[in-house]
Amino acid sequence: MIEVERVMILHHPVTDVVSFLADFANTEMWDPGTVTCERIGGGPLTVGSEWRNVSVFRARRTELRYRLTRYDPDHLTFVGHNSTATSTDDLRFAEDGARTRLTYRARIEFAGFARLAAPLLKREFERLGDGVAERLPRAVDHALGDPPTAGGRVL
């Protein structure tokens, strides 16, 4: 298992940030590995909503089917599966004045022989985490409008 965590300050209210990030299709804007992410089905976003995510990692395309497993005002969890891995994106939100403190934790568990490669891939997943920390605040600003103190800050 590999786990990566980043903490960011976003210059927007919690409710707005959660609403934006609850639509996992928006990962195209902030996850450097995501090529496409399309919602499966329609209706309101609720626990059980699903997305088809295509990512590139180490020059290989992989597809995972993600499901929103937790949707609280201060906590979102998405779990993606395919035959070789289970990926969990856990996002926790806290008010910080008019800003939002986001703790983003990504965890990937490999199945079968792929488990043997996990220790060798840790550094690359750390780089992906750095990319998320760089891109996510900009994506939030782009989607929600530039605040007076534009841009997020990584802690």
Side-chain angles (χ1 to χ4, degrees):
M1 176 179 68
I2 298 173
E3 191 167 274
V4 174
E5 181 177 299
R6 298 293 182 271
V7 178
M8 295 160 260
I9 298 295
L10 307 170
H11 297 278
H12 297 276
V14 170
T15 55
D16 295 345
V17 173
V18 171
S19 292
F20 172 70
L21 294 174
D23 185 353
F24 204 64
N26 290 326
T27 58
E28 290 181 15
M29 296 174 63
W30 56 264
D31 180 356
T34 296
V35 177
T36 63
C37 191
E38 298 173 351
R39 176 120 183 254
I40 300 168
L45 293 173
T46 61
V47 168
S49 294
E50 293 184 320
W51 293 261
R52 184 177 305 106
N53 180 286
V54 176
S55 297
V56 172
F57 182 70
R58 298 187 72 181
R60 295 185 64 181
R61 290 175 77 89
T62 186
E63 183 176 316
L64 287 95
R65 186 173 184 137
Y66 276 87
R67 175 182 290 251
L68 179 59
T69 61
R70 182 172 186 161
Y71 191 174
D72 294 334
D74 63 350
H75 194 174
L76 298 170
T77 305
F78 300 90
V79 178
H81 295 282
N82 68 15
S83 62
T84 59
T86 298
S87 179
T88 303
D89 285 53
D90 188 75
L91 297 88
R92 294 173 189 255
F93 307 88
E95 286 187 33
D96 183 358
R99 304 176 307 176
T100 299
R101 178 185 175 101
L102 167 61
T103 302
Y104 170 80
R105 183 176 295 131
R107 184 178 68 232
I108 187 160
E109 298 178 64
F110 294 99
F113 288 114
R115 286 189 318 245
L116 301 174
L120 304 173
L121 300 175
K122 174 73 172 161
R123 179 173 284 150
E124 290 185 56
F125 278 100
E126 287 290 341
R127 277 195 287 268
L128 281 174
D130 292 343
V132 167
E134 179 184 322
R135 291 177 61 169
L136 191 145
R138 290 192 314 228
V140 168
D141 287 346
H142 178 76
L144 302 179
D146 288 330
T149 55
R153 178 169 56 94
V154 177
L155 301 178

